[in-house]
Amino acid sequence: MHARLLAPSPASTAAASSSSSLPSAGARPHGASWKPRGPASAPPPSPLSLRARASMQPAAPMSEGKGGPPVHGVSNTVVGVLGGGQLGKMLCQAATQMGIKMVILDPLEGCPASSVCHEHVVGSFSDGDTVREFAKRCGVLTVEIEHVDAATLEKLEKQGVDCEPKASTITIIQDKYSQKTHFSKFGIPLPDFMEVDTLHSVQEAGEKFGYPLMVKSKRLAYDGRGNAVAQKKEELPSVVASLGGFEHGLYVERWAPFVKELSVIVARSRDSSTVCYPVVETIHKDNICHVVEAPAEVSDKIKKLATSVAEKAIKSLEGAGVFAVELFLTEDDQILLNEVAPRPHNSGHHTIESCYTSQYEQHLRAILGLPLGDPSMKAPAAIMYNILGEDEGEAGFFLAHQLIERALNIPGASVHWYGKPEMRKQRKMGHITVVGPSKTSVRSRLEKLMQSDTYVPKKASPRVSIIMGSDSDLDVMKDAERVLKKFSIPVETTIVSAHRTPERMYDFAKSAKDRGVEVIIAGAGGAAHLPGKYHLITINYLVILSISFVIIFVHGCPLFLTTYFLWMKLIVVLIFSPLSQMPKGIPVATVAIGNAENAGLLAVKILASRDPELSDKVVKYQDDLRDMVLEKAERLENIGWEEYLK
Amino acid sequence: MHARLLAPSPASTAAASSSSSLPSAGARPHGASWKPRGPASAPPPSPLSLRARASMQPAAPMSEGKGGPPVHGVSNTVVGVLGGGQLGKMLCQAATQMGIKMVILDPLEGCPASSVCHEHVVGSFSDGDTVREFAKRCGVLTVEIEHVDAATLEKLEKQGVDCEPKASTITIIQDKYSQKTHFSKFGIPLPDFMEVDTLHSVQEAGEKFGYPLMVKSKRLAYDGRGNAVAQKKEELPSVVASLGGFEHGLYVERWAPFVKELSVIVARSRDSSTVCYPVVETIHKDNICHVVEAPAEVSDKIKKLATSVAEKAIKSLEGAGVFAVELFLTEDDQILLNEVAPRPHNSGHHTIESCYTSQYEQHLRAILGLPLGDPSMKAPAAIMYNILGEDEGEAGFFLAHQLIERALNIPGASVHWYGKPEMRKQRKMGHITVVGPSKTSVRSRLEKLMQSDTYVPKKASPRVSIIMGSDSDLDVMKDAERVLKKFSIPVETTIVSAHRTPERMYDFAKSAKDRGVEVIIAGAGGAAHLPGKYHLITINYLVILSISFVIIFVHGCPLFLTTYFLWMKLIVVLIFSPLSQMPKGIPVATVAIGNAENAGLLAVKILASRDPELSDKVVKYQDDLRDMVLEKAERLENIGWEEYLK
């Protein structure tokens, strides 16, 4: 419960008096204290205007400039946020941990952020006067929603108010058509688009781009609102009408035949340096973000491409903060920009639990001129699931509560409840993030959570790949797959012959890591093959090209060869095999001849090294083996060898 | 800034009105909504007294009992906390994420928790009337400090107020002597102790327990306050005087010659089931917690013992919540209980960033009757460092800010600033948690943070162990160590002969995992040994006993043997070696003959599978190898083979 600007309470008086306990500027020589680097693009406000502003806001000591009060803790600067929804709330949560004061402007009493902020000013962020008055309370002004009064922000900037990101960025982004125009100017790949203002021009666009045709509102569009699809020309009039006609501005986009939707959160500091979060996949349902998988299951090449497109897009904008870049991945491995949000984003919720620095802390670091934090993941996999209103009012609360009840029973699941006063259908009421040691584990945990819901987690991509040069090795190599399946490890088994399908082998080796393969078990030639050449080709392709995973060789010698001929072959295999031929610097692991089971187990152990759940299973497996031997021993002792051998 | 009980503000009126938007009880059939399980020990309060209480607190809807309002989000129950320090603040942070309302009783306006709680009641938690009045606002009452008015809590419990943990537990724990008596009754191992009330009795104790002798205040002792050590009999009068004489109660303890201080956080639900967090090591400086390392570097056996002592201790107490159990590890591997805190604890701060469920969320889950969360770590290693006041006032703030500035530049470091209004020497002002992919990495990051501070991180324990049967293998095996050191991986190299030092081999195999070894590289016999027997013994000890790590064999054949004799030996080695002898179910990896470098690299790759930092280094290493080959190729092409071979 928080003091309100318009009706000062005893509490807000207390705020003023507590801030007076700060010593006056210059009381001690603190010249070495932190100064934020200059703003990203706008010239730094003159000391005069800063000082003038400071005198207007006794409750908000500034850390900028000389003569400011010494810094207590992480930062003295009061952060003002336009908007107090869940994003504002999570910003406040990050701020409270670092002892940073947040003031919120939001018209809704009891808005999510109001429960955690230092002060909630009840008022409209699209009203110029209110925003101007609000800005006096803050050292830096930021947004959690882009639909704010950008014109006022621009005026405030000219008066020296520090807005991050810049008003220019908000202006560009809040109009989706101007956003597209802007990014296309900077050479960012986009679906084709064009402005439309009459039925005739929409029909022209339809002829040009084909159908289905995407028709979009320029402004105030989010969560699928403001978008409509025309399947054919005849639908255009009704589609335009459903978007409120041409009055508020429409444009059309060529339908993007995407295979996945990706998102990259980019953080940009005041000195314009950037860091990017891992690429995630966003899965939508009825146009609303439903599930986010981190990291996305796409190739390293796609990850690099997506990250570079996202970074380039953000570098074209002005100001500091985190930005979400939503992207389409097309069938032909193109990355197209869908849209940008100049603020923390639904696709970055998972970072709270899964990354070293959450997107919320990162946004604060960026706008306050603090060093950017490490955006990488501290846990191997995370899935975020939005709690959307499934019904109105109490019925909706009841269903949400049932979902939460399941979530609280799932290991690694964290429940976020935004505390919105009203429940409505399709409203984002909270979210659940499941973090775990592997993609497989978080997916199976999510399945337990979702029950009747329609998101069916995709088939897990293989973590171990078993390959052999010919199906004659299969009789041996099948044991590896059997063991891996026993441990529920996603595995693929295929035939890749280095000398009969060299291109396939090359592609396999090139793509294995991208596809998520961590260990390769290669049947290194049956006894029927002359091993020398075969192995060297295998080594070339597999080992040199695919340097990032562990490779295990199995000498796939069929077990029925027990003659002198076999022994001679074996000796040849062993001496000319990778075992002796592998050059320094190219390590592979080799297991016993024909013992694919052990190759599988070795792969399990390697994967288990950072996965306690799996590790426990390995211990149990080996305990069982021990027990089996002990049982046999007991039986032998009890019945004697004569009986035993029968 | 928050409304105060004693002077209701417009804000608190708003709270009442917003709660009125809740539908009245029974408006919809929600019989299936969550009911907390019954309290751990006290009989459940009668519906009558509950309802009566509910009518007194319109702002605190209850989720318990039939006819309560339906649950919105995670829980409707308002949690009252006695104390609003940093522990209260972090409890509120966990609560706000889940949308749970917290009210705080603390005498200090602007106490840390006041910035995040739903309501801060300014008042004393050791005053009976205030606590009684406060309890009316809460659905469940808990503590973040044990020095509260336990007698009032006991009375309140009798009136049906739900206190978690129970007043009986607070009563036992707030008096350290009664705590010791209690735990000793339940068979928990403790240092010897006895009550003293005259100088004569202290001297008697000194004779009995020897010196140094620990003299302790029974009550109001924390962070080393209330403890004093007498080195000899002559010091006893001054030591007793330093503790304020016998008036407030003293007792003595036999000096515990500990090698480490450990701590286990135990969570206990309302139905008395428990889960335990990983054992951590606490490192104190001037009697105040300085650094916490998670997980502790002790053997699995010690971890199990520490956990079972902690669990047993907590099972002897009444009520739900998290409890910290501080333990001594003695030279002879005994675990002795030092003391228990009936609340979240400094040694569990790291759980916020490093565990699936933080101790704060866990405390809330426990006291609200929600399922307990997963206490295990989601990242491999964490270190927590307390930000203690290094000076009074502004000078102290300045030094703390310098420390924070360094922390913000360290990957994986999270800064917590409690926002205490006053800076004092040795006061806990905040803390920094560093999370990372390995103990080595978090320690080296902490070193950067600490600079001139006196905590010197201990030598990292080896992650890879290189062993060989005799020093004749060293010439080959040294290459493995060289590679591992190149990647800054802590490694040990030693001689363990399976047939000449079988006991040593047994001990080695038994203890390797406990000591943190993840991979063993074994020089599997020089060419000078008859391999069969040797290997079988090695396998027995290493593989069967130490099932939890990956083992790599190097055929340590000295390279100078290039004759026919060598080839014959090799054939023998290979055929009778683990390569062919290893039974199914016992996987080991084998690398090329004499190629210890590859064994080292393979170990690095295995460790890198969950450590992106290390993984990048491996990629760079292999890129360098490629570049070296390309350079050679260029040179050959440029100068021709005749010149090249010169």
Side-chain angles (χ1 to χ4, degrees), chain A residues 152-179:
Chain A
T152 299
L153 289 187
E154 215 148 318
K155 275 181 221 151
L156 286 172
E157 267 178 14
K158 279 181 194 145
Q159 292 161 26
V161 173
D162 185 6
C163 300
E164 304 292 346
K166 295 296 158 208
S168 63
T169 296
I170 311 286
T171 307
I172 290 166
I173 284 177
Q174 64 183 197
D175 179 322
K176 283 196 181 178
Y177 176 69
S178 78
Q179 198 188 128

Side-chain angles (χ1 to χ4, degrees), chain A residues 498-545:
Chain A
H499 48 192
R500 284 167 299 189
T501 59
E503 279 181 16
R504 181 170 155 77
M505 173 61 96
Y506 182 89
D507 289 345
F508 172 83
K510 270 281 222 197
S511 71
K513 199 199 160 211
D514 280 356
R515 293 185 300 113
V517 172
E518 293 168 65
V519 178
I520 291 175
I521 300 176
H529 298 125
L530 237 188
K533 185 182 149 212
Y534 177 84
H535 287 151
L536 287 177
I537 296 172
T538 309
I539 293 159
N540 282 341
Y541 286 135
L542 268 187
V543 185
I544 314 245
L545 291 173

Side-chain angles (χ1 to χ4, degrees), chain A residues 445-601:
Chain A
R445 289 172 188 184
L446 182 66
E447 262 179 77
K448 276 182 217 153
L449 177 65
M450 300 180 72
Q451 290 190 336
S452 62
D453 208 333
T454 56
Y455 167 82
V456 179
K458 284 157 297 184
K459 199 185 149 214
S461 67
R463 300 179 70 191
V464 177
S465 189
I466 301 171
I467 58 171
M468 60 206 82
S470 103
D471 58 0
S472 66
D473 296 333
L474 190 57
D475 195 47
V476 169
M477 299 303 286
K478 68 174 193 314
D479 292 345
E481 184 179 309
R482 229 193 41 228
V483 168
L484 287 157
K485 288 210 163 146
K486 200 176 277 174
F487 287 94
S488 310
I489 290 168
V491 55
E492 62 178 13
T493 301
T494 189
I495 296 167
V496 187
S497 169
H499 48 192
R500 284 167 299 189
T501 59
E503 279 181 16
R504 181 170 155 77
M505 173 61 96
Y506 182 89
D507 289 345
F508 172 83
K510 270 281 222 197
S511 71
K513 199 199 160 211
D514 280 356
R515 293 185 300 113
V517 172
E518 293 168 65
V519 178
I520 291 175
I521 300 176
H529 298 125
L530 237 188
K533 185 182 149 212
Y534 177 84
H535 287 151
L536 287 177
I537 296 172
T538 309
I539 293 159
N540 282 341
Y541 286 135
L542 268 187
V543 185
I544 314 245
L545 291 173
S546 322
I547 49 180
S548 299
F549 35 66
V550 177
I551 291 167
I552 303 168
F553 276 105
V554 179
H555 291 275
C557 168
L559 299 171
F560 55 84
L561 297 173
T562 51
T563 58
Y564 170 81
F565 179 73
L566 163 69
W567 286 113
M568 283 314 296
K569 281 266 176 186
L570 265 186
I571 290 163
V572 175
V573 168
L574 290 171
I575 292 176
F576 292 97
S577 81
L579 187 71
S580 46
Q581 298 293 334
M582 201 62 77
K584 288 204 178 188
I586 309 296
V588 300
T590 314
V591 294
I593 295 168
N595 199 334
E597 175 172 339
N598 276 3
L601 262 182

Side-chain angles (χ1 to χ4, degrees), chain B residues 331-541:
Chain B
E331 272 160 0
D332 55 344
D333 281 359
Q334 299 280 308
I335 289 287
L336 302 177
L337 185 139
N338 178 16
E339 61 181 75
V340 166
R343 50 163 171 84
H345 189 254
N346 201 159
S347 65
H349 287 354
H350 75 94
T351 60
I352 296 175
E353 283 86 10
S354 73
C355 293
Y356 288 114
T357 311
S358 79
Q359 66 167 346
Y360 301 100
E361 176 174 336
Q362 196 75 283
H363 188 72
L364 294 172
R365 284 177 178 239
I367 64 174
L368 288 168
L370 305 175
L372 295 181
D374 184 347
S376 56
M377 290 180 76
K378 63 184 167 192
I383 285 192
M384 192 282 322
Y385 177 80
N386 269 342
I387 307 177
L388 299 175
E390 294 179 61
D391 206 336
E392 306 287 319
E394 286 307 322
F397 278 117
F398 177 69
L399 291 169
H401 184 67
Q402 284 192 315
L403 178 70
I404 290 170
E405 189 169 1
R406 288 199 298 277
L408 290 173
N409 278 295
I410 291 171
S414 299
V415 176
H416 293 249
W417 184 254
Y418 306 146
K420 294 185 181 176
E422 260 182 81
M423 166 67 77
R424 283 204 299 269
K425 244 181 165 169
Q426 294 292 73
R427 193 177 204 194
K428 291 174 180 170
M429 301 302 293
H431 75 266
I432 295 160
T433 301
V434 183
V435 173
S438 68
K439 194 134 261 186
T440 321
S441 106
V442 294
R443 279 185 182 155
S444 78
R445 289 172 188 184
L446 182 66
E447 261 179 75
K448 279 182 214 154
L449 176 67
M450 300 180 73
Q451 290 190 336
S452 60
D453 209 332
T454 56
Y455 166 80
V456 179
K458 285 157 297 183
K459 200 183 148 214
S461 68
R463 300 180 70 192
V464 178
S465 190
I466 302 171
I467 58 169
M468 62 205 82
S470 104
D471 58 359
S472 66
D473 296 333
L474 192 56
D475 196 46
V476 168
M477 298 303 287
K478 68 175 191 317
D479 293 344
E481 184 178 310
R482 230 193 41 229
V483 168
L484 287 158
K485 288 210 163 145
K486 201 176 276 175
F487 287 93
S488 310
I489 291 167
V491 55
E492 63 179 12
T493 300
T494 188
I495 297 168
V496 187
S497 170
H499 48 191
R500 283 167 300 191
T501 59
E503 280 182 14
R504 181 170 156 76
M505 174 61 96
Y506 183 89
D507 289 345
F508 172 84
K510 271 281 223 198
S511 71
K513 201 201 157 207
D514 280 356
R515 292 185 301 115
V517 173
E518 293 168 64
V519 179
I520 292 174
I521 300 176
H529 298 125
L530 238 188
K533 184 183 151 212
Y534 176 85
H535 287 152
L536 287 177
I537 295 171
T538 309
I539 292 160
N540 281 342
Y541 285 135

Side-chain angles (χ1 to χ4, degrees), chain A residues 1-4 7-12 14-15 23 28 30 32-34 70-75 89 93 96-99 109 115-118 352-354 356 361 365 370-372 374 378-380 394-395 397-398 401 404-405 407-409 411-417 421 435-438 445 463 479 518 546-551 555 567 571 574-575 578-580 582-593 595 597-599 601-602 605-607 609-610 618-619 621-623 625, chain B residues 1-4 7-12 14-15 21 23 28 30 32-34 70-75 89 93 96-99 109 115-118 352-354 356 361 365 370-374 378-380 394-395 397-398 401 404-405 407-409 411-417 435-438 445 463 479 518 546-551 567 571 574-575 578-593 595 597-599 601-602 605-607 609-610 618-619 621-623 625:
Chain A
M1 206 27 57
H2 297 271
R4 291 155 63 201
S9 69
S12 68
R28 292 185 71 98
H30 287 303
S33 76
W34 245 338
V71 180
H72 286 199
V74 178
S75 174
K89 179 181 177 184
Q93 284 168 353
T96 193
Q97 175 174 313
M98 298 194 282
E109 191 141 356
S115 66
V116 210
C117 64
H118 178 65
I352 296 175
E353 284 86 11
S354 73
Y356 288 114
E361 176 174 337
R365 285 177 178 239
L370 306 175
L372 294 181
D374 184 348
K378 63 184 167 192
E394 286 309 322
F397 278 116
F398 177 69
H401 184 68
I404 291 170
E405 187 168 3
L408 290 172
N409 278 297
S414 299
V415 176
H416 294 250
W417 184 253
V435 174
S438 69
R445 289 172 188 184
R463 300 179 70 191
D479 292 345
E518 293 168 65
S546 322
I547 49 180
S548 299
F549 35 66
V550 177
I551 291 167
H555 291 275
W567 286 113
I571 290 163
L574 290 171
I575 292 176
L579 187 71
S580 46
M582 201 62 77
K584 288 204 178 188
I586 309 296
V588 300
T590 314
V591 294
I593 295 168
N595 199 334
E597 175 172 339
N598 276 3
L601 262 182
L602 186 59
K605 278 193 157 192
I606 289 167
L607 296 179
S609 67
R610 282 283 178 276
V618 174
V619 170
Y621 180 87
Q622 297 197 309
D623 282 353
L625 277 185
Chain B
M1 206 27 58
H2 296 270
R4 291 154 64 202
S9 69
S12 67
S21 74
R28 291 184 72 97
H30 288 302
S33 75
W34 244 340
V71 180
H72 286 199
V74 179
S75 174
K89 179 181 178 183
Q93 284 168 353
T96 192
Q97 174 176 313
M98 297 195 283
E109 189 141 354
S115 66
V116 210
C117 63
H118 178 65
I352 296 175
E353 283 86 10
S354 73
Y356 288 114
E361 176 174 336
R365 284 177 178 239
L370 305 175
L372 295 181
D374 184 347
K378 63 184 167 192
E394 286 307 322
F397 278 117
F398 177 69
H401 184 67
I404 290 170
E405 189 169 1
L408 290 173
N409 278 295
S414 299
V415 176
H416 293 249
W417 184 254
V435 173
S438 68
R445 289 172 188 184
R463 300 180 70 192
D479 293 344
E518 293 168 64
S546 323
I547 49 179
S548 299
F549 36 64
V550 176
I551 292 167
W567 287 113
I571 290 163
L574 290 171
I575 292 176
L579 188 70
S580 46
Q581 298 292 335
M582 200 63 76
K584 290 205 176 187
I586 308 296
V588 301
T590 315
V591 294
I593 294 167
N595 200 334
E597 177 172 338
N598 275 3
L601 262 181
L602 186 61
K605 279 193 157 193
I606 289 167
L607 296 179
S609 68
R610 282 282 178 276
V618 173
V619 171
Y621 180 85
Q622 296 198 309
D623 282 352
L625 278 184

Side-chain angles (χ1 to χ4, degrees), chain A residues 178-469:
Chain A
S178 78
Q179 198 188 128
K180 301 264 153 157
T181 315
H182 170 87
F183 288 127
S184 108
K185 231 188 299 172
F186 280 85
I188 311 294
L190 297 163
D192 295 325
F193 68 100
M194 63 184 282
E195 198 172 11
V196 290
D197 49 8
T198 60
L199 201 57
H200 179 70
S201 62
V202 191
Q203 286 164 346
E204 267 186 352
E207 267 161 49
K208 198 172 164 195
F209 296 156
Y211 292 87
L213 184 71
M214 202 72 198
V215 189
K216 294 188 169 184
S217 300
K218 287 182 176 179
R219 300 175 69 91
L220 291 171
Y222 66 97
D223 285 353
R225 271 170 264 193
N227 292 356
V229 180
Q231 296 295 341
K232 50 188 178 184
K233 193 182 166 186
E234 289 67 33
E235 288 180 16
L236 287 176
S238 67
V239 160
V240 167
S242 78
L243 294 171
F246 295 102
E247 233 168 282
H248 304 291
L250 294 182
Y251 73 104
V252 297
E253 255 180 46
R254 189 193 291 276
W255 183 261
F258 63 84
V259 289
K260 282 187 179 184
E261 287 186 85
L262 305 176
S263 172
V264 179
I265 306 280
V266 181
R268 181 184 152 120
S269 70
R270 292 173 80 104
D271 66 1
S272 302
S273 65
T274 55
V275 298
C276 299
Y277 281 82
V279 182
V280 301
E281 181 179 353
T282 55
I283 295 146
H284 290 75
K285 193 176 138 187
D286 304 331
N287 284 310
I288 299 179
C289 178
H290 180 45
V291 167
V292 173
E293 286 205 359
E297 213 158 52
V298 292
S299 73
D300 271 8
K301 199 182 114 203
I302 296 295
K303 280 180 189 162
K304 271 181 203 155
L305 180 61
T307 307
S308 80
V309 167
E311 202 170 12
K312 197 175 165 195
I314 299 316
K315 284 209 179 275
S316 76
L317 299 170
E318 294 184 311
V322 301
F323 300 78
V325 184
E326 293 186 81
L327 303 161
F328 294 126
L329 171 63
T330 65
E331 271 160 1
D332 55 343
D333 280 1
Q334 299 278 309
I335 289 286
L336 301 177
L337 185 139
N338 178 18
E339 60 181 76
V340 167
R343 50 163 172 84
H345 189 254
N346 201 159
S347 65
H349 287 355
H350 74 93
T351 61
I352 296 175
E353 284 86 11
S354 73
C355 293
Y356 288 114
T357 311
S358 79
Q359 65 166 348
Y360 301 99
E361 176 174 337
Q362 197 73 284
H363 188 72
L364 295 171
R365 285 177 178 239
I367 64 174
L368 289 167
L370 306 175
L372 294 181
D374 184 348
S376 55
M377 290 179 77
K378 63 184 167 192
I383 285 192
M384 191 281 325
Y385 176 80
N386 270 341
I387 307 178
L388 299 175
E390 294 179 63
D391 206 336
E392 306 288 318
E394 286 309 322
F397 278 116
F398 177 69
L399 291 169
H401 184 68
Q402 283 193 315
L403 179 70
I404 291 170
E405 187 168 3
R406 289 200 297 277
L408 290 172
N409 278 297
I410 291 172
S414 299
V415 176
H416 294 250
W417 184 253
Y418 306 147
K420 293 185 182 176
E422 260 181 81
M423 166 67 78
R424 282 205 298 269
K425 243 184 167 167
Q426 294 292 74
R427 194 176 205 194
K428 290 174 179 170
M429 300 302 295
H431 75 265
I432 295 160
T433 301
V434 183
V435 174
S438 69
K439 192 133 264 184
T440 322
S441 105
V442 293
R443 279 186 182 154
S444 77
R445 289 172 188 184
L446 182 66
E447 262 179 77
K448 276 182 217 153
L449 177 65
M450 300 180 72
Q451 290 190 336
S452 62
D453 208 333
T454 56
Y455 167 82
V456 179
K458 284 157 297 184
K459 199 185 149 214
S461 67
R463 300 179 70 191
V464 177
S465 189
I466 301 171
I467 58 171
M468 60 206 82

Side-chain angles (χ1 to χ4, degrees), chain B residues 19 27 81 98 145 174 196 378 416 421 490 538 627:
Chain B
S19 77
V81 186
M98 297 195 283
I145 182 168
Q174 66 183 195
V196 290
K378 63 184 167 192
H416 293 249
T538 309
D627 293 348

